[in-house]
Amino acid sequence: MRAKTVVLLLTLTLGGALLVAQARKTLDIYIVDVEGGNATLFVTPAGQSVLIDTGNGGANAARDAGRILEATRDAGLTQIDHLITTHWHGDHFGAMADVAKQIPVRAYYDHGPTVQPQPASEEFLKNVYAGLIAQAKHTVVKPGDRITVAGLDWRIVSSGGQVLQTNLPGAGRPNPYCASFKPQDVDKTENAQSVGSYITFGKFRVVHMGDLTWNKEAELMCPNNRLGTTDLLVVGHHGQPVSNSDVIVHALRPRVSIINNGTRKGGQPDAMKVILNSPGLEDVYQIHFSLLGGQEYTVPGMFIANTFDDQPEAMPIGAWTPPPQGTQAPPAPVHNGKAYWFKVSAQQDGTFTVTNTRNNFSKTYRAGQITSSN
Ligand SMILES: [Zn+2]
């Protein structure tokens, strides 16, 4: 009796975090809505956490940090153990200072200095990031590196313009999609530097490639598929067609893809055709309806997490055509109000559930029901 009372008091004293950590048996992944940026939070059953990217900066930093913090609270976190910044674009590092002010970050990972110096990223790296990493662990990662997270096998597969040169366990078969691959123009931006990760929890697999672009996808996946397949693909580059070639999307054979697009960023027809045509695919989820795709290239509303502040009565059927170059486009629909995340809860056996927190639509993908690969 007495020991029980002590344990109970201790638990109450330490607050909800411990209760959550003790109760959790799943790997939980929060795909946070940062309006066409990226912020993806992983929380292990033991309460270890990895955040990939911190959303937008400037006038949107407080909003996006707030949304990320809400996810950390939902998960019962008191710190972020690992923060990976995929690359030095403002929709990926923007709210970092605001996040770090509100929750301690223990270790930082990135691909190294920027290859595309811009006033905002240079200022950030010099005056903000340098200070943050001075007080924590900091690692520049390269392909083949692992991030030590108990319960997960976290492999870096791209970073700093380099890609993995060896096969992940069980992978390495010839990739049939390479034969018809057509390169795009060389991408000299930060996107091609993105830190990409292949994460395994028991039999459950997730791929997150940041904004890695088209030609780098082929460097990684051709002629042999060095990654193998995945259960969940966090779609690259917000679902834009300068990424998402079939050499990666189709070869990975995701059961489920989740797109972190914005109201008018990503989710374009050419990328949606590849994503929705992926072999073995069961469902696609979008963090937003994208005007660039219209109803023609989107998923049913049940699979969309967020609306606009000023929601129109009906959504356009066709894809929105941007005005000709040099003309001012009308402002994109705003969404600063209540935001909803997708929560993925994965079990060791490979079963996972995706929940749309806007409408509580939830679907479970059972292990062992994977379409056989050929
Ligand atoms: Zn981006």
Side-chain angles (χ1 to χ4, degrees), residues 36-38 53 86-87 89 91-92 191 210-211 237-238 240 260 265:
N38 179 57
D53 294 333
T86 58
H87 62 296
H89 277 165
D91 57 324
H92 295 258
N191 292 326
D211 286 0
H237 210 177
H238 323 290
Q240 297 185 78
N260 54 4
K265 179 179 177 188

Side-chain angles (χ1 to χ4, degrees), residues 260-297:
N260 54 4
N261 62 295
T263 60
R264 206 197 285 155
K265 179 179 177 188
Q268 281 114 305
D270 283 347
M272 293 305 288
K273 284 181 207 167
V274 177
I275 293 161
L276 286 163
N277 200 18
S278 179
L281 180 79
E282 292 172 56
D283 287 306
V284 174
Y285 294 78
Q286 288 182 251
I287 205 88
H288 268 283
F289 180 86
S290 172
L291 288 175
L292 299 180
Q295 289 186 51
E296 185 76 4
Y297 298 97

Side-chain angles (χ1 to χ4, degrees), residues 9-336:
L9 282 173
L10 187 68
T11 310
L12 287 171
T13 313
L14 292 177
L18 189 60
L19 285 171
V20 171
Q22 283 174 340
R24 191 187 297 116
K25 288 197 169 60
T26 50
L27 168 68
D28 292 342
I29 307 168
Y30 296 80
I31 318 285
V32 179
D33 179 21
V34 285
E35 305 298 325
N38 179 57
T40 307
L41 176 67
F42 293 71
V43 185
T44 72
Q48 289 270 302
S49 55
V50 184
L51 175 63
I52 307 181
D53 294 333
T54 47
N56 292 284
N60 297 318
R63 178 198 68 194
D64 286 4
R67 292 176 180 182
I68 294 164
L69 264 291
E70 205 184 324
T72 65
R73 282 192 292 272
D74 186 79
L77 299 180
T78 53
Q79 64 177 39
I80 291 167
D81 298 301
H82 311 274
L83 171 57
I84 299 172
T85 303
T86 58
H87 62 296
W88 303 119
H89 277 165
D91 57 324
H92 295 258
F93 69 78
M96 191 191 296
D98 285 60
V99 169
K101 249 178 242 157
Q102 298 175 69
I103 187 167
V105 177
R106 301 302 180 197
Y108 293 83
Y109 305 83
D110 58 66
H111 71 68
T114 180
V115 300
Q116 186 191 6
Q118 292 168 319
S121 56
E122 284 193 295
E123 199 273 333
F124 170 82
L125 288 168
K126 197 164 148 250
N127 299 328
V128 179
Y129 196 59
L132 291 173
I133 61 176
Q135 299 161 33
K137 232 182 117 208
H138 173 233
T139 310
V140 173
V141 290
K142 51 184 193 314
D145 285 355
R146 281 167 137 141
I147 292 180
T148 311
V149 189
L152 301 185
D153 182 18
W154 193 297
R155 311 245 187 164
I156 302 300
V157 298
S158 70
S159 179
Q162 304 298 309
V163 297
L164 192 69
Q165 296 298 321
T166 53
N167 302 321
L168 292 183
R173 289 196 212 166
N175 183 346
Y177 302 102
C178 297
S180 54
F181 177 79
K182 288 189 185 62
Q184 293 185 353
D185 291 343
V186 174
D187 174 18
K188 292 183 178 152
T189 73
E190 272 289 312
N191 292 326
Q193 305 290 311
S194 286
V195 175
S197 297
Y198 190 103
I199 305 123
T200 309
F201 171 67
K203 289 188 169 142
F204 175 76
R205 296 100 17 107
V206 195
V207 173
H208 190 302
M209 299 303 298
D211 286 0
L212 196 76
T213 32
W214 192 267
N215 296 357
K216 292 290 171 192
E217 293 174 339
E219 278 180 38
L220 174 62
M221 299 297 284
C222 293
N224 293 334
N225 175 352
R226 298 189 188 108
L227 300 189
T229 57
T230 191
D231 297 294
L232 172 66
L233 174 62
V234 180
V235 168
H237 210 177
H238 323 290
Q240 297 185 78
V242 290
S243 300
N244 295 299
S245 89
D246 58 2
V247 301
I248 188 161
V249 176
H250 289 189
L252 285 172
R253 296 184 70 91
R255 298 184 70 183
V256 169
S257 289
I258 299 182
I259 312 176
N260 54 4
N261 62 295
T263 60
R264 206 197 285 155
K265 179 179 177 188
Q268 281 114 305
D270 283 347
M272 293 305 288
K273 284 181 207 167
V274 177
I275 293 161
L276 286 163
N277 200 18
S278 179
L281 180 79
E282 292 172 56
D283 287 306
V284 174
Y285 294 78
Q286 288 182 251
I287 205 88
H288 268 283
F289 180 86
S290 172
L291 288 175
L292 299 180
Q295 289 186 51
E296 185 76 4
Y297 298 97
T298 196
V299 296
M302 283 198 324
F303 295 80
I304 299 175
N306 289 284
T307 58
F308 308 146
D309 289 347
D310 210 354
Q311 183 66 30
E313 284 290 308
M315 286 302 188
I317 303 279
W320 181 75
T321 315
Q325 283 247 309
T327 355
Q328 183 66 43
V334 173
H335 177 231
N336 290 319

